């Protein structure tokens, strides 16, 4: 019982450790960032750098680890090869192995089956090493280090002479080698006539641009050739029959591939920059086609850099209402003349002025006064001679009854009738004697649409107001005809004789409509005059000079910016060939205010010219003749070229002018 009780008893809990306070926790120490693009321990500039040691270790896994990181580091411009000792030597190991031994395994027999894994890894390491060298060379300090390294030039020259551009296994290696060549060694290499083929990169590069189908390799090879031959020491290696020239011309029409065309143009520019090569180029049968391609390239690039400009050149438009009343100077009627002839002078002159110079229509000496011939007009003027001639023409036939006044009295009488009129003399080359303040009175001309044209327009009837009145009048003419048949006598109507009943129906075709002619909706309500001084209306509107259009705009293309480098290179090539074609002193334009002249052309003959020792040969003359003929064939295309820069546009103008006159120099 006791034991059972003890087994069920709960013993009190006892604490055998003292209570302690939890210490304050320190902040955790940041762990090292071991990411490949951030970790710095393998990029430290010490001889024991792991990447440098891994590259030289020969352990394939270590080599792969180092190249994997270098392929990413080489994109950073702050990465310097010289900062890691031994790194450059390690990067040359695997490319040198490939050009010495590795490329030999790449044969058709060995590639019937998959290559061994070790060979594939080594080949990949060679490509990655060369890839790193090529990328880091784009940074100037690294390019200088590689250019001064003892392994760079032997590696490049050996690879160009050993590897084949047309083998797929070597194409990537060749591409990186060529890129490394023109960045590092092309500007420094010197090729002499005694240089061995193994050390002459021009043969391999020329073969690549002329035979390869790899676009990237062709561009790289053209660039390498351009940089190499740009060195004046290497210009003797340029030949007129080079396959690279034919290749560059072959690729010029590919305007869609700007990189390839740019590389081809740069090489062509270097080639023809040599005077001897430029003269030889004029003898090529494809010269006209090359010029046409170069000009077309300028036009193709020009379309992308222009804007359409619309300019309004409309002048001042002078218009008058289309419907106006035709007027003419008033002429004395027989009744007015008879009223004046029986009066003595000077009363007759006064009354004549009242008839001619009244400021508004009045009637004279009767309950219905006569119409006037002149009106007051502040800005009007009539010459004094006109006044005298009008007076003399009216009354001189009747001078036997009453003698005429002298001219001075006639002019004085104008002021008696019109006090505001002033006789004056206008000074000038020819003095003009005028009377200002009066003008001839105008009478409205009746609408002649309803005038009778019977008897071949000899009818003396007055103008009618409606077609009905005109028709009734024509019926009177028909009634007066006694014959049963008669021709139509309306104006110039050519109808043959017909019965009077038919003639009555026929004359209806000559009657004008009562309603005015309808206008087309597009016809304006005004008439445009040639100038502000043009008379209107006139009796024969068909004799009026044609007016200028109411709205005249011209549109043209205007270049916004200067042409790109590819267009400038094409223009330079054209300029060189142009100067070479017109290089002879008797054909080349002299430098003056309108021409740029030609470098190398002497403005005055020297002693050698007088001796005749500088005369060009027949071959050069033939080349110039062909060049002028070629430029004459493209001058129409050159006229369409527009360049923003005035100097460059002056070159175009000069070539166009010479192309127009070049035909006469052929």
């Amino acid at each position: 019982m006791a034991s059972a009780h003890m087994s069920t008893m709960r013993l009190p809990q006892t604490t055998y450790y003292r209570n302690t306070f939890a210490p304050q926790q320190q902040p955790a120490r940041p762990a090292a960032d071991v990411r490949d693009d951030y970790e710095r321990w393998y990029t430290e500039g010490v001889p024991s750098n792991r990447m440098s040691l891994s590259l030289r270790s020969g352990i394939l896994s270590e080599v792969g680890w180092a190249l994997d990181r270098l392929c990413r580091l080489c994109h950073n411009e702050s990465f310097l090869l010289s900062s890691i000792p031994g790194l450059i030597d390690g990067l040359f190991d695997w490319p040198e192995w490939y050009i010495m031994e590795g490329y030999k395994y790449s044969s058709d027999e060995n590639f019937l089956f998959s290559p061994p894994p070790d060979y594939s890894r080594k080949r990949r390491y060679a490509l990655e090493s060369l890839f790193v060298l090529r990328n880091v060379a784009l940074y100037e300090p690294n390019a200088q280090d590689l250019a001064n390294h003892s392994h760079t030039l032997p590696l490049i020259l050996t690879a160009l002479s050993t590897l084949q551009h047309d083998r797929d296994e070597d194409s990537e290696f060749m591409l990186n080698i060529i890129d490394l060549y023109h960045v590092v060694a092309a500007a420094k290499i010197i090729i002499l006539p005694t240089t061995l083929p193994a050390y002459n990169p021009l043969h391999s590069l020329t073969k690549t641009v002329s035979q390869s189908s790899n676009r990237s390799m062709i561009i790289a090879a053209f660039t390498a050739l351009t940089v190499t031959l740009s060195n004046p020491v290497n210009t003797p290696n340029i030949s007129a029959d080079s396959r690279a020239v034919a290749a560059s011309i072959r690729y010029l029409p590919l305007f869609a591939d700007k990189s390839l065309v740019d590389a081809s143009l740069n090489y062509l520019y270097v080639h023809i920059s040599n005077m001897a090569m430029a003269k030889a180029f004029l003898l090529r049968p494809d010269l006209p086609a090359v010029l046409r391609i170069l000009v077309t390239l300028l036009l193709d690039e020009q379309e992308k850099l222009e804007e359409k400009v619309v300019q309004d050149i409309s002048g001042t438009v002078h218009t008058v209402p289309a419907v106006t009343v035709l007027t003419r100077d008033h002429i004395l009627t027989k009744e007015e003349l008879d009223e004046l002839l029986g009066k003595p002078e000077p009363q007759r002159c006064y009354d004549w002025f009242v008839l001619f110079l009244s400021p508004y229509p009045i009637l004279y000496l009767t309950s219905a006064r006569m119409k006037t011939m002149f009106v007051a007009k502040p800005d009007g003027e009539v010459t004094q001679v006109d006044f005298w001639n009008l007076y003399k023409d009216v009354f001189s036939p009747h001078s036997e009854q009453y003698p005429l006044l002298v001219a001075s009295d006639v002019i004085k009488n104008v002021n008696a009738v019109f006090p505001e009129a002033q006789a004056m003399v206008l000074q000038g080359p020819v003095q003009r004697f005028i009377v200002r303040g009066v003008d001839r009175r105008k009478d409205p001309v009746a609408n002649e649409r309803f005038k009778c044209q019977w008897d071949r327009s000899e009818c003396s009837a007055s103008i009618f107001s409606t077609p009905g009145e005109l028709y009734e009048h024509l019926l009177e003419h028909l009634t007066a005809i006694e014959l049963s048949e008669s021709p139509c006598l309306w104006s110039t109507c050519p109808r043959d004789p017909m019965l009077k009943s038919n003639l009555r129906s026929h004359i209806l075709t000559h009657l004008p409509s009562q309603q005015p002619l309808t206008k087309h909706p597009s016809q304006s309500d005004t008439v445009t005059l040639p100038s502000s001084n043009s008379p209107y209306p006139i009796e024969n509107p068909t004799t009026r000079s044609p007016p200028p259009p109411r709205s005249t705009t011209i549109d043209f293309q205007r270049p916004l910016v200067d042409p790109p480098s590819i267009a400038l290179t094409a223009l330079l090539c054209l300029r060189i060939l142009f100067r070479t074609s017109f290089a002879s002193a008797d054909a080349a334009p002299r430098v003056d205010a309108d021409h740029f002249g030609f470098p190398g052309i002497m403005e005055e003959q020297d002693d050698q010219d007088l001796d005749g020792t500088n005369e060009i040969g027949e071959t050069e003359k033939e080349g110039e003749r062909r060049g002028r003929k070629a430029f004459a064939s493209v001058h129409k295309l050159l006229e369409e070229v527009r360049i923003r820069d005035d100097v460059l546009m002056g070159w175009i103008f000069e070539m166009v002018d010479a192309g127009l006159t070049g035909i006469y120099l052929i």
Side-chain angles (χ1 to χ4, degrees):
M1 294 289 294
S3 61
H5 178 72
M6 292 293 295
S7 62
T8 59
M9 289 179 60
R10 178 175 292 180
L11 298 176
Q13 295 181 357
T14 305
T15 300
Y16 296 98
Y17 301 97
R18 63 179 181 178
N19 294 329
T20 59
F21 295 95
Q24 185 177 1
Q25 294 183 356
Q26 298 293 332
R29 189 173 183 178
D33 193 339
V34 294
R35 291 177 299 174
D36 290 337
D37 293 336
Y38 181 82
E39 193 174 17
R40 300 182 179 275
W41 61 268
Y42 59 81
T43 59
E44 295 177 352
V46 295
S48 60
N49 182 277
R50 181 182 172 185
M51 286 194 303
S52 178
L53 296 177
S54 297
L55 285 175
R56 309 300 297 270
S57 66
I59 303 174
L60 298 184
S61 60
E62 292 294 321
V63 174
W65 175 88
L67 290 175
D68 182 62
R69 282 142 184 81
L70 285 172
C71 286
R72 285 176 286 183
L73 289 172
C74 65
H75 289 285
N76 192 344
E77 290 186 354
S78 61
F79 179 71
L80 298 176
L81 292 175
S82 59
S83 63
I84 303 177
L87 183 59
I88 299 180
D89 296 333
L91 289 172
F92 277 110
D93 289 343
W94 292 103
E96 290 176 346
W97 166 84
Y98 185 81
I99 63 175
M100 295 298 180
E101 300 179 8
Y103 80 96
K104 298 177 182 178
Y105 187 83
S106 302
S107 61
D108 295 337
E109 294 81 3
N110 293 334
F111 271 90
L112 290 175
F113 305 96
S114 298
D118 288 346
Y119 170 78
S120 298
R121 293 179 67 180
K122 292 179 181 179
R123 181 176 178 275
R124 179 167 64 87
Y125 295 159
L127 290 175
E128 290 179 353
S129 299
L130 195 57
F131 174 78
V132 172
L133 290 173
R134 181 256 187 195
N135 282 354
V136 298
L138 299 178
Y139 188 43
E140 185 61 27
N142 292 331
Q144 293 293 337
D145 293 337
L146 290 176
N148 298 327
H149 198 274
S150 60
H151 289 213
T152 303
L153 195 57
L155 172 67
I156 294 174
L157 296 179
T158 304
L160 291 176
S161 61
T162 302
L163 303 181
Q164 300 297 324
H165 66 84
D166 54 351
R167 294 179 59 194
D168 293 339
E169 297 79 13
D170 297 339
S171 60
E172 185 177 357
F173 200 95
M174 279 285 291
L175 179 59
N176 288 327
I177 282 291
I178 296 175
D179 286 341
L180 184 63
Y181 168 77
H182 72 73
V183 172
V184 175
K188 294 187 176 182
I189 192 169
I190 298 176
I191 305 172
L192 301 176
T194 57
T195 302
L196 298 177
Y199 297 99
N200 188 349
L202 297 180
H203 299 299
S204 176
L205 296 174
T206 302
K207 186 178 180 181
T208 300
V209 298
S210 60
Q211 298 180 4
S212 177
S213 59
N214 189 320
R215 169 186 172 276
S216 300
M217 194 177 301
I218 293 173
I219 296 175
F222 267 131
T223 306
L225 284 172
T226 302
V227 177
T228 303
L229 298 178
S230 297
N231 190 341
V233 182
N234 295 326
T235 52
N237 295 280
I238 304 176
S239 59
D241 56 351
S242 174
R243 291 177 295 174
V245 179
S248 64
I249 296 175
R250 184 168 64 248
Y251 299 134
L252 281 182
L254 304 178
F255 294 165
D257 194 342
K258 299 301 181 184
S259 299
L260 180 58
V261 174
D262 189 30
S264 302
L265 272 176
N266 289 332
Y267 175 78
L268 182 62
Y269 171 72
V270 171
H271 179 85
I272 62 177
S273 294
N274 185 289
M275 182 58 68
M277 296 300 104
K279 293 180 179 179
F281 196 87
L282 298 180
L283 298 172
R284 294 182 63 92
D286 53 0
L287 174 65
V290 173
L291 295 183
R292 188 172 296 273
I293 292 173
L294 293 176
V295 179
T296 306
L297 178 60
L298 289 176
L299 296 175
D300 181 71
E301 294 295 328
Q302 170 181 300
E303 294 179 358
K304 309 169 187 177
L305 306 174
E306 291 184 329
E307 66 173 353
K308 184 177 181 180
V309 179
V310 180
Q311 186 172 355
D312 189 358
I313 59 172
S314 303
T316 304
V317 179
H318 306 281
T319 60
V320 293
V323 179
T324 185
V325 179
L326 186 65
T327 61
R328 61 186 176 187
D329 293 339
H330 179 66
I331 301 176
L332 282 176
T333 63
K334 184 176 183 303
E335 293 79 5
E336 293 173 343
L337 182 60
D338 293 341
E339 185 72 24
L340 292 174
L341 289 179
K343 298 181 180 297
E345 293 292 355
Q347 184 63 39
R348 184 177 64 179
C349 182
Y350 290 149
D351 295 343
W352 178 78
F353 276 125
V354 171
L355 290 174
F356 281 73
L357 303 177
S358 178
Y360 46 85
I362 62 172
L363 301 178
Y364 176 70
L365 297 178
T366 63
S367 57
R369 307 286 294 267
M370 300 179 190
K371 293 183 178 181
T372 61
M373 293 276 294
F374 286 79
V375 295
K377 188 176 181 181
D379 58 343
E381 61 181 38
V382 180
T383 63
Q384 298 178 16
V385 175
D386 289 341
F387 271 109
W388 167 247
N389 289 335
L390 286 171
Y391 173 82
K392 182 179 62 175
D393 292 343
V394 172
F395 299 113
S396 59
H398 311 283
S399 59
E400 296 179 356
Q401 184 178 2
Y402 294 104
L404 300 179
L405 295 177
V406 296
S408 58
D409 292 337
V410 173
I411 301 303
K412 291 179 181 178
N413 291 336
V414 175
N415 295 93
V417 178
F418 275 93
E420 65 274 13
Q422 295 181 358
M424 61 181 63
V425 179
L426 298 181
Q427 301 296 331
V430 178
Q431 290 185 344
R432 296 179 63 238
F433 296 85
I434 66 171
V435 177
R436 177 164 293 174
V438 295
D439 197 4
R440 291 288 302 270
R441 180 167 183 80
K442 308 295 182 182
D443 289 338
V445 178
N447 192 343
E448 296 185 358
R449 288 198 305 142
F450 303 128
K451 179 176 176 52
C452 179
Q453 303 291 337
W454 197 257
D455 289 338
R456 302 304 180 190
S457 303
E458 296 295 332
C459 180
S460 59
S462 60
I463 300 175
F464 299 95
S465 58
T466 63
E469 296 178 0
L470 177 59
Y471 181 68
E472 295 294 336
H473 172 73
L474 288 175
L475 291 180
E476 297 176 1
H477 284 298
L478 296 181
T479 304
I481 298 176
E482 299 179 355
L483 300 177
S484 60
E485 294 185 357
S486 174
C488 178
L489 301 179
W490 182 274
S491 187
T492 59
C493 182
R495 290 295 298 270
D496 296 331
M498 64 186 77
L499 296 175
K500 293 178 62 176
S501 59
N502 296 336
L503 185 60
R504 183 175 299 173
S505 301
H506 170 73
I507 61 175
L508 293 175
T509 62
H510 296 300
L511 296 181
S513 174
Q514 176 69 27
Q515 302 295 329
L517 299 178
T518 58
K519 297 190 302 181
H520 190 272
S522 63
Q523 186 175 358
S524 174
D525 293 333
T526 59
V527 176
T528 305
L529 300 180
S531 64
S532 59
N533 299 326
S534 299
Y536 185 84
I538 57 179
E539 295 184 0
N540 187 4
T542 60
T543 61
R544 185 174 66 243
S545 301
R550 296 195 176 190
S551 177
T552 305
T553 59
I554 58 173
D555 58 90
F556 56 92
Q557 299 295 122
R558 180 175 61 188
L560 292 175
V561 295
D562 293 329
S565 61
I566 186 173
L568 292 177
T569 306
L571 180 58
L572 287 175
C573 293
L574 285 171
R575 181 66 174 170
I576 292 174
L577 295 175
F578 170 69
R579 295 188 311 184
T580 308
S581 301
F582 292 84
S584 57
D586 58 340
R590 295 293 182 179
V591 57
D592 53 26
D594 299 325
H595 298 88
F596 291 96
F598 293 86
I601 300 300
M602 303 299 295
E603 295 297 329
E604 298 180 359
Q605 291 184 339
D606 52 15
D607 296 338
Q608 293 181 350
D609 291 335
L610 296 176
D611 296 339
T613 57
N614 283 347
E615 295 182 359
I616 62 175
E618 293 298 327
T619 303
E620 295 183 8
K621 288 183 179 179
E622 176 64 17
E624 292 185 6
R625 188 189 69 82
R626 293 187 183 184
R628 295 167 195 162
K629 184 176 181 180
F631 273 96
S633 65
V634 298
H635 81 276
K636 289 291 186 182
L637 282 177
L638 284 169
E639 291 177 354
E640 301 177 8
V641 177
R642 293 176 293 272
I643 301 179
R644 182 184 181 188
D645 187 82
D646 294 337
V647 176
L648 299 181
M649 197 61 208
W651 292 3
I652 299 296
F653 290 150
E654 189 174 358
M655 286 187 281
V656 170
D657 294 342
L660 292 173
T661 59
I663 301 176
Y664 306 103
L665 300 174
I666 298 174

